[in-house]
Amino acid sequence: MKSFNPPSRTLMGPGPSDVHPRILNAMAKTTIGHLDPAFIDMMDEIKEMLQYAFMTENALTMPISAPGSAGMEACFVNLVEPGDKVIVCINGVFGSRMKENVTRIGGQAIIIEDDWGAPVSPQKLEQCLTENPDTKIVAFVHAETSTGALSDAKLLCEDCQ
Ligand SMILES: Cc1ncc(COP(=O)(O)O)c(C=O)c1O
């Protein structure tokens, strides 16, 4: 992996983001096929760098070449099976989209609602988990980009333990 020095605190915003000229130049180059050994090496390197960025050693850390919505859908279709109980926290547009994903797969969505612009309430989640001990998955949007609301992922994850 090439060495790189990220800033001490990296924030990921929703964009739209300016594309660095280095990237624009790279995109103007000749393409290579997805089975080319050079592509495989590049993909391995990207996966390693993503693991670094997301502070994980999970070997299944990979980029999805699609809009964010496809990333969300990829998570749900791989985790939810028909009949599964999924608590979905809604405090903006993307929470509602998660509910849509769950119901289309045939999961049973249990909804916790918070005001748009407010973070997801850890107290409501704790109570909902007590009332639904057979819950398989809890879904919340960490940074609800439709309003800019940031929820406390650490607290919400602690509720689930
Ligand atoms: C919180 C949040 N912001 C932004 C997006 C961007 O969506 P897209 O790139 O599909 O427009 C998503 C997609 O799921 C999202 O969950």
Side-chain angles (χ1 to χ4, degrees):
M1 180 168 87
K2 281 184 197 139
S3 68
F4 63 106
N5 297 312
S8 57
R9 182 153 186 261
T10 308
L11 296 173
M12 293 192 209
S17 312
D18 292 334
V19 180
H20 193 280
R22 186 173 63 84
I23 308 299
L24 290 176
N25 285 335
M27 288 170 76
K29 288 189 178 159
T30 315
T31 54
I32 52 169
H34 65 287
L35 297 178
D36 192 304
F39 180 91
I40 311 272
D41 288 347
M42 214 182 302
M43 188 61 148
D44 286 344
E45 191 182 349
I46 290 168
K47 282 158 73 180
E48 248 185 85
M49 290 164 87
L50 279 175
Q51 287 178 359
Y52 178 88
F54 288 97
M55 293 187 271
T56 177
E57 289 175 3
N58 190 326
L60 284 176
T61 307
M62 68 192 92
I64 295 184
S65 180
S69 306
M72 177 192 280
E73 187 177 338
C75 292
F76 281 106
V77 296
N78 279 287
L79 292 174
V80 181
E81 290 176 4
D84 283 346
K85 198 180 255 194
V86 183
I87 296 179
V88 181
C89 307
I90 301 182
N91 64 336
V93 167
F94 294 102
S96 305
R97 191 176 288 177
M98 294 195 302
K99 178 193 168 206
E100 191 76 26
N101 272 275
V102 171
T103 52
R104 284 186 188 206
I105 295 163
Q108 183 190 351
I110 311 288
I111 307 301
I112 299 178
E113 282 197 86
D114 281 292
D115 289 340
W116 284 34
V120 173
S121 158
Q123 291 76 24
K124 283 190 196 171
L125 175 59
E126 193 178 1
Q127 187 181 337
C128 192
L129 279 164
T130 306
E131 290 163 6
N132 297 279
D134 54 340
T135 297
K136 185 176 171 200
I137 292 167
V138 171
F140 66 87
V141 179
H142 185 199
E144 179 50 81
T145 51
S146 62
T147 64
L150 182 68
S151 291
D152 192 331
K154 189 166 182 281
L155 274 184
L156 294 168
C157 290
E158 280 168 9
D159 274 350
C160 301
Q161 288 163 2

